[in-house]
Amino acid sequence: MQNILKHNYTKYIVFGIIISLMPTLAGIGLIRSASVIVLGAVIFYGVVAIGLNILLGFSGLISLGTAGFMGLGAYMSAYLTEILGLPFLLSLAISVVVPVIIGSLVGLVSLRVSGMYLAIATLAVSEVFRLMFSEFTDITGGFSGMRASFPSFFGISLSRDTTFIFLVVILVLLMILTDNFVNSSVGRALLTMRVSETAASAMGINLLKYKLMAFALATAYAAIGGVMYVHFIQFSFPTVWTVMLSLQILAAVVIGGIKTIFGPIIGAFVVFGVPELFLNRLPIIGDIPGLAFMFTGVLIIVVILFYPNGLIYLGHDIKRLWLKNRKSQKGGETA
Amino acid sequence: MTILKVENLSIAFGGLKAVDDLSFSVNQDEIYGLIGPNGAGKTTVFNCITQFYKPNQGKILFNDTDLVLKATHNIIKLGLVRTFQNVELTRDLTLLENLLVGAHISYKYGLFANSFKLPKAKKEEKEIAARGEGILDFLGLLDKKNELTGGQPYGILKKVELGRTLMSNPKMIILDEPAAGLNDTETIELATLIRSIRTQYNCSILLVEHDMRLVMDVCDRICAISFGKKLAEGTPKEIQQSTAVQEAYLGISDDTEVD
């Protein structure tokens, strides 16, 4: 019991409970009900960002194919539930497993290259998916998009507010699972590989196996995020799944803080939440087209230049500074 | 009894023959030194043994297994493990965690068991961590086990890297210039450590080194090479007296060029 309290689980669960209060707050009029949709987006993009962080932060690999795999999950689940009438949970499973298989095959071929070349290879795959979403009109509805409904399972049909809570549950679950394995031999192997591939293989770490694992995991998180997207937003259009989205998710990871669990969530909030919730409401500058992208772009530059560990360390650093200040004040008194 | 046998090893990079028909063998529980002037091909020999390079010719037998046929990441499973010239540890991990990376091949449970913290995975982690603490204790670093590796002094990093090799229960450790970057006191400490590793962990040690004092101090036998070829092999004393070695290091008194 003591172990449970000491463990990180507590902070994830507390975080989850706080977030899941948002629809209630909207219900009593404390926040606008449109904000709940924005926060829902922060949650599913947060899940995708956690996945990309496994790849980028822990394994040192890059992918620009995130949006493609997220879209694949979204379209598959919409098709399976709406057109084929499969139950939600079965559809969720299929819509994650199939992208993971495809992602692993892509990984098997493209992980022979690294860095810039890997980015280009994954970008190409993502663009192929995007074109398929708009061209295969019989399956995807083309530019008219694809509808989906709120999830229903075990005889319960969720509403918008309960779907939001369902998304929070998935997020917290994935945060806990991710925390567990990044702090195990698996996570250490990934980190060692990131620092030095030679050291990793000298220690018996099979590079291809672990790279492929990281790639498959990132794909799985992206597909889960896509399923969450389509059953919360209830629509999927091909124009959503562009390279711009992949870059925004990449930005979320970098801005929030790589190699952490909360970092990508903070990043997703900054990239996908802040412009909608605050910036666009500002007088005059709120009307500038493309303000959100400018905001993200400037923030990336600022963070990389001045805060390479990401915004997650902001709180940590402020606390340290405060403690140091207090200490020096105390020191001054005794002297 | 021979543990490592290098037979007629040759490797060329383009037209340059980095190692040329080199043969030597290391006995069980022996501390064996490989020395040579800069560019002699020591590190290349090293990388051939650990299969980072595949030799063009020759055999490398470790306990009668031909290493050339093995993938790089499988070498450690045979009980052969190495360190690096420029300490390759992960800064984001603690000292203990870096040691646990050395035990990677001991972990039976993977992603699934660890994601759900299954009891068997937790038990495994605990057992291996206990082994790691034992080794940190042996190195005198137990009180630092939870400190991050980044920012530790170089001498400590070298020890941690040695500790990481011990985690794999090796039969033989290959050290790539362990004294590089250490001061005199640290070098003497290292010599003691290398000797006690041999006695406590029953393993042979092959050491590639620049620092003559360390080599002469700890090695039972030495092989001196120059331009990829063997110059001499023998006890430290024999090597010191060998004219071929003296010429390679100091040059010949008349006209020929000096390395």
Side-chain angles (χ1 to χ4, degrees), chain A residues 108-136:
Chain A
L108 209 54
V109 179
S110 57
L111 284 172
R112 294 176 190 285
V113 293
S114 58
M116 195 72 90
Y117 303 101
L118 184 59
I120 294 169
T122 48
L123 174 63
V125 172
S126 183
E127 284 300 291
V128 170
F129 282 134
R130 191 180 59 80
L131 285 173
M132 279 166 60
F133 300 151
S134 58
E135 301 300 323
F136 288 10

mmCIF file of all heavy atoms in Angstrom, chain A residues 108-136:
data_model
loop_
_atom_site.group_PDB
_atom_site.id
_atom_site.type_symbol
_atom_site.label_atom_id
_atom_site.label_comp_id
_atom_site.label_asym_id
_atom_site.label_seq_id
_atom_site.Cartn_x
_atom_site.Cartn_y
_atom_site.Cartn_z
ATOM 1 N N LEU A 108 10.454 -1.733 -40.622
ATOM 2 C CA LEU A 108 11.418 -2.750 -41.043
ATOM 3 C C LEU A 108 12.206 -2.287 -42.270
ATOM 4 O O LEU A 108 13.391 -2.526 -42.396
ATOM 5 C CB LEU A 108 10.651 -4.046 -41.359
ATOM 6 C CG LEU A 108 11.393 -5.355 -41.167
ATOM 7 C CD1 LEU A 108 11.970 -5.456 -39.781
ATOM 8 C CD2 LEU A 108 10.471 -6.521 -41.450
ATOM 9 N N VAL A 109 11.494 -1.612 -43.166
ATOM 10 C CA VAL A 109 12.153 -1.137 -44.387
ATOM 11 C C VAL A 109 12.908 0.165 -44.117
ATOM 12 O O VAL A 109 14.064 0.310 -44.495
ATOM 13 C CB VAL A 109 11.104 -0.914 -45.506
ATOM 14 C CG1 VAL A 109 11.781 -0.392 -46.764
ATOM 15 C CG2 VAL A 109 10.360 -2.199 -45.781
ATOM 16 N N SER A 110 12.246 1.120 -43.408
ATOM 17 C CA SER A 110 12.831 2.461 -43.339
ATOM 18 C C SER A 110 13.839 2.634 -42.210
ATOM 19 O O SER A 110 14.608 3.580 -42.219
ATOM 20 C CB SER A 110 11.719 3.504 -43.213
ATOM 21 O OG SER A 110 10.939 3.231 -42.086
ATOM 22 N N LEU A 111 13.872 1.713 -41.222
ATOM 23 C CA LEU A 111 14.821 1.890 -40.128
ATOM 24 C C LEU A 111 16.256 1.582 -40.544
ATOM 25 O O LEU A 111 17.180 1.717 -39.760
ATOM 26 C CB LEU A 111 14.425 1.028 -38.927
ATOM 27 C CG LEU A 111 13.249 1.588 -38.136
ATOM 28 C CD1 LEU A 111 12.776 0.609 -37.093
ATOM 29 C CD2 LEU A 111 13.626 2.904 -37.482
ATOM 30 N N ARG A 112 16.427 1.189 -41.798
ATOM 31 C CA ARG A 112 17.795 1.006 -42.287
ATOM 32 C C ARG A 112 18.465 2.354 -42.491
ATOM 33 O O ARG A 112 19.677 2.446 -42.544
ATOM 34 C CB ARG A 112 17.787 0.219 -43.601
ATOM 35 C CG ARG A 112 17.295 -1.167 -43.351
ATOM 36 C CD ARG A 112 17.158 -2.013 -44.581
ATOM 37 N NE ARG A 112 16.451 -3.233 -44.218
ATOM 38 C CZ ARG A 112 17.002 -4.219 -43.542
ATOM 39 N NH1 ARG A 112 18.259 -4.166 -43.191
ATOM 40 N NH2 ARG A 112 16.297 -5.281 -43.222
ATOM 41 N N VAL A 113 17.636 3.383 -42.616
ATOM 42 C CA VAL A 113 18.200 4.735 -42.691
ATOM 43 C C VAL A 113 17.861 5.459 -41.385
ATOM 44 O O VAL A 113 17.005 5.022 -40.635
ATOM 45 C CB VAL A 113 17.643 5.523 -43.894
ATOM 46 C CG1 VAL A 113 18.124 4.912 -45.183
ATOM 47 C CG2 VAL A 113 16.130 5.598 -43.860
ATOM 48 N N SER A 114 18.564 6.564 -41.135
ATOM 49 C CA SER A 114 18.265 7.276 -39.899
ATOM 50 C C SER A 114 18.275 8.775 -40.156
ATOM 51 O O SER A 114 18.537 9.225 -41.265
ATOM 52 C CB SER A 114 19.294 6.908 -38.824
ATOM 53 O OG SER A 114 20.568 7.231 -39.281
ATOM 54 N N GLY A 115 17.986 9.542 -39.116
ATOM 55 C CA GLY A 115 18.027 10.995 -39.189
ATOM 56 C C GLY A 115 17.086 11.548 -40.241
ATOM 57 O O GLY A 115 15.930 11.147 -40.338
ATOM 58 N N MET A 116 17.610 12.462 -41.040
ATOM 59 C CA MET A 116 16.838 13.142 -42.073
ATOM 60 C C MET A 116 16.152 12.158 -43.020
ATOM 61 O O MET A 116 15.018 12.347 -43.421
ATOM 62 C CB MET A 116 17.809 14.025 -42.865
ATOM 63 C CG MET A 116 17.139 15.043 -43.727
ATOM 64 S SD MET A 116 16.437 16.318 -42.713
ATOM 65 C CE MET A 116 17.836 17.440 -42.642
ATOM 66 N N TYR A 117 16.856 11.075 -43.361
ATOM 67 C CA TYR A 117 16.328 10.124 -44.336
ATOM 68 C C TYR A 117 15.121 9.379 -43.773
ATOM 69 O O TYR A 117 14.166 9.092 -44.478
ATOM 70 C CB TYR A 117 17.425 9.145 -44.768
ATOM 71 C CG TYR A 117 18.604 9.868 -45.334
ATOM 72 C CD1 TYR A 117 19.749 10.079 -44.572
ATOM 73 C CD2 TYR A 117 18.563 10.414 -46.616
ATOM 74 C CE1 TYR A 117 20.825 10.781 -45.075
ATOM 75 C CE2 TYR A 117 19.626 11.117 -47.131
ATOM 76 C CZ TYR A 117 20.762 11.302 -46.356
ATOM 77 O OH TYR A 117 21.808 12.016 -46.856
ATOM 78 N N LEU A 118 15.195 9.082 -42.472
ATOM 79 C CA LEU A 118 14.068 8.422 -41.826
ATOM 80 C C LEU A 118 12.865 9.360 -41.812
ATOM 81 O O LEU A 118 11.728 8.951 -42.051
ATOM 82 C CB LEU A 118 14.442 8.000 -40.403
ATOM 83 C CG LEU A 118 13.382 7.218 -39.630
ATOM 84 C CD1 LEU A 118 13.015 5.942 -40.354
ATOM 85 C CD2 LEU A 118 13.873 6.897 -38.225
ATOM 86 N N ALA A 119 13.132 10.638 -41.549
ATOM 87 C CA ALA A 119 12.055 11.637 -41.547
ATOM 88 C C ALA A 119 11.379 11.674 -42.914
ATOM 89 O O ALA A 119 10.146 11.674 -43.011
ATOM 90 C CB ALA A 119 12.615 13.004 -41.184
ATOM 91 N N ILE A 120 12.176 11.659 -43.976
ATOM 92 C CA ILE A 120 11.616 11.731 -45.332
ATOM 93 C C ILE A 120 10.833 10.454 -45.652
ATOM 94 O O ILE A 120 9.720 10.510 -46.189
ATOM 95 C CB ILE A 120 12.740 11.955 -46.371
ATOM 96 C CG1 ILE A 120 13.355 13.344 -46.155
ATOM 97 C CG2 ILE A 120 12.209 11.822 -47.793
ATOM 98 C CD1 ILE A 120 14.626 13.580 -46.931
ATOM 99 N N ALA A 121 11.384 9.303 -45.273
ATOM 100 C CA ALA A 121 10.709 8.036 -45.559
ATOM 101 C C ALA A 121 9.343 7.987 -44.868
ATOM 102 O O ALA A 121 8.338 7.609 -45.479
ATOM 103 C CB ALA A 121 11.576 6.863 -45.104
ATOM 104 N N THR A 122 9.294 8.392 -43.594
ATOM 105 C CA THR A 122 8.027 8.339 -42.868
ATOM 106 C C THR A 122 7.053 9.388 -43.396
ATOM 107 O O THR A 122 5.846 9.151 -43.442
ATOM 108 C CB THR A 122 8.251 8.557 -41.357
ATOM 109 O OG1 THR A 122 9.079 9.695 -41.173
ATOM 110 C CG2 THR A 122 8.918 7.354 -40.726
ATOM 111 N N LEU A 123 7.590 10.530 -43.810
ATOM 112 C CA LEU A 123 6.747 11.576 -44.397
ATOM 113 C C LEU A 123 6.062 11.048 -45.664
ATOM 114 O O LEU A 123 4.865 11.263 -45.877
ATOM 115 C CB LEU A 123 7.599 12.807 -44.727
ATOM 116 C CG LEU A 123 6.901 13.937 -45.484
ATOM 117 C CD1 LEU A 123 5.777 14.507 -44.656
ATOM 118 C CD2 LEU A 123 7.892 15.035 -45.836
ATOM 119 N N ALA A 124 6.829 10.318 -46.471
ATOM 120 C CA ALA A 124 6.283 9.763 -47.710
ATOM 121 C C ALA A 124 5.126 8.812 -47.408
ATOM 122 O O ALA A 124 4.067 8.876 -48.045
ATOM 123 C CB ALA A 124 7.382 9.043 -48.482
ATOM 124 N N VAL A 125 5.321 7.954 -46.410
ATOM 125 C CA VAL A 125 4.280 7.000 -46.034
ATOM 126 C C VAL A 125 3.023 7.749 -45.602
ATOM 127 O O VAL A 125 1.898 7.426 -46.007
ATOM 128 C CB VAL A 125 4.774 6.085 -44.898
ATOM 129 C CG1 VAL A 125 3.645 5.220 -44.375
ATOM 130 C CG2 VAL A 125 5.916 5.223 -45.383
ATOM 131 N N SER A 126 3.228 8.790 -44.796
ATOM 132 C CA SER A 126 2.109 9.579 -44.297
ATOM 133 C C SER A 126 1.340 10.229 -45.444
ATOM 134 O O SER A 126 0.109 10.278 -45.439
ATOM 135 C CB SER A 126 2.646 10.642 -43.344
ATOM 136 O OG SER A 126 1.600 11.368 -42.789
ATOM 137 N N GLU A 127 2.054 10.730 -46.447
ATOM 138 C CA GLU A 127 1.416 11.378 -47.592
ATOM 139 C C GLU A 127 0.608 10.372 -48.407
ATOM 140 O O GLU A 127 -0.456 10.693 -48.931
ATOM 141 C CB GLU A 127 2.466 12.067 -48.468
ATOM 142 C CG GLU A 127 2.993 13.372 -47.875
ATOM 143 C CD GLU A 127 1.885 14.403 -47.660
ATOM 144 O OE1 GLU A 127 1.343 14.915 -48.656
ATOM 145 O OE2 GLU A 127 1.537 14.666 -46.494
ATOM 146 N N VAL A 128 1.138 9.135 -48.494
ATOM 147 C CA VAL A 128 0.395 8.076 -49.192
ATOM 148 C C VAL A 128 -0.945 7.853 -48.497
ATOM 149 O O VAL A 128 -2.000 7.788 -49.139
ATOM 150 C CB VAL A 128 1.217 6.768 -49.239
ATOM 151 C CG1 VAL A 128 0.341 5.616 -49.735
ATOM 152 C CG2 VAL A 128 2.424 6.935 -50.146
ATOM 153 N N PHE A 129 -0.907 7.787 -47.174
ATOM 154 C CA PHE A 129 -2.157 7.614 -46.414
ATOM 155 C C PHE A 129 -3.114 8.778 -46.680
ATOM 156 O O PHE A 129 -4.292 8.578 -46.899
ATOM 157 C CB PHE A 129 -1.878 7.531 -44.913
ATOM 158 C CG PHE A 129 -1.358 6.191 -44.479
ATOM 159 C CD1 PHE A 129 -0.272 6.097 -43.620
ATOM 160 C CD2 PHE A 129 -1.962 5.018 -44.910
ATOM 161 C CE1 PHE A 129 0.209 4.868 -43.216
ATOM 162 C CE2 PHE A 129 -1.485 3.783 -44.502
ATOM 163 C CZ PHE A 129 -0.388 3.712 -43.662
ATOM 164 N N ARG A 130 -2.578 9.998 -46.647
ATOM 165 C CA ARG A 130 -3.427 11.177 -46.813
ATOM 166 C C ARG A 130 -4.138 11.141 -48.163
ATOM 167 O O ARG A 130 -5.333 11.420 -48.264
ATOM 168 C CB ARG A 130 -2.587 12.459 -46.691
ATOM 169 C CG ARG A 130 -3.414 13.723 -46.587
ATOM 170 C CD ARG A 130 -2.536 14.950 -46.470
ATOM 171 N NE ARG A 130 -1.637 15.125 -47.604
ATOM 172 C CZ ARG A 130 -2.003 15.643 -48.776
ATOM 173 N NH1 ARG A 130 -3.242 16.042 -48.959
ATOM 174 N NH2 ARG A 130 -1.135 15.755 -49.759
ATOM 175 N N LEU A 131 -3.378 10.760 -49.200
ATOM 176 C CA LEU A 131 -3.981 10.669 -50.528
ATOM 177 C C LEU A 131 -5.039 9.578 -50.571
ATOM 178 O O LEU A 131 -6.088 9.734 -51.201
ATOM 179 C CB LEU A 131 -2.905 10.413 -51.585
ATOM 180 C CG LEU A 131 -2.072 11.648 -51.914
ATOM 181 C CD1 LEU A 131 -0.912 11.297 -52.831
ATOM 182 C CD2 LEU A 131 -2.952 12.707 -52.566
ATOM 183 N N MET A 132 -4.757 8.473 -49.889
ATOM 184 C CA MET A 132 -5.749 7.397 -49.847
ATOM 185 C C MET A 132 -7.033 7.884 -49.185
ATOM 186 O O MET A 132 -8.133 7.569 -49.644
ATOM 187 C CB MET A 132 -5.193 6.189 -49.083
ATOM 188 C CG MET A 132 -4.282 5.307 -49.926
ATOM 189 S SD MET A 132 -3.325 4.156 -48.927
ATOM 190 C CE MET A 132 -4.606 3.220 -48.144
ATOM 191 N N PHE A 133 -6.903 8.675 -48.122
ATOM 192 C CA PHE A 133 -8.089 9.179 -47.429
ATOM 193 C C PHE A 133 -8.951 10.029 -48.361
ATOM 194 O O PHE A 133 -10.176 9.993 -48.290
ATOM 195 C CB PHE A 133 -7.709 10.025 -46.202
ATOM 196 C CG PHE A 133 -6.905 9.293 -45.165
ATOM 197 C CD1 PHE A 133 -6.006 9.982 -44.355
ATOM 198 C CD2 PHE A 133 -7.042 7.919 -44.991
ATOM 199 C CE1 PHE A 133 -5.256 9.310 -43.404
ATOM 200 C CE2 PHE A 133 -6.293 7.252 -44.037
ATOM 201 C CZ PHE A 133 -5.393 7.944 -43.246
ATOM 202 N N SER A 134 -8.307 10.794 -49.234
ATOM 203 C CA SER A 134 -9.116 11.663 -50.098
ATOM 204 C C SER A 134 -9.528 10.989 -51.400
ATOM 205 O O SER A 134 -10.537 11.352 -51.983
ATOM 206 C CB SER A 134 -8.355 12.969 -50.386
ATOM 207 O OG SER A 134 -7.127 12.682 -50.989
ATOM 208 N N GLU A 135 -8.787 9.974 -51.849
ATOM 209 C CA GLU A 135 -9.072 9.377 -53.160
ATOM 210 C C GLU A 135 -9.957 8.127 -53.092
ATOM 211 O O GLU A 135 -10.746 7.883 -53.987
ATOM 212 C CB GLU A 135 -7.775 9.028 -53.894
ATOM 213 C CG GLU A 135 -6.844 10.206 -54.144
ATOM 214 C CD GLU A 135 -7.501 11.299 -54.988
ATOM 215 O OE1 GLU A 135 -8.273 10.968 -55.905
ATOM 216 O OE2 GLU A 135 -7.257 12.487 -54.689
ATOM 217 N N PHE A 136 -9.812 7.322 -52.039
ATOM 218 C CA PHE A 136 -10.609 6.100 -51.950
ATOM 219 C C PHE A 136 -12.004 6.447 -51.442
ATOM 220 O O PHE A 136 -12.407 6.061 -50.348
ATOM 221 C CB PHE A 136 -9.945 5.072 -51.007
ATOM 222 C CG PHE A 136 -8.718 4.442 -51.572
ATOM 223 C CD1 PHE A 136 -8.121 4.905 -52.738
ATOM 224 C CD2 PHE A 136 -8.126 3.346 -50.936
ATOM 225 C CE1 PHE A 136 -6.967 4.319 -53.255
ATOM 226 C CE2 PHE A 136 -6.977 2.756 -51.441
ATOM 227 C CZ PHE A 136 -6.395 3.249 -52.597
#
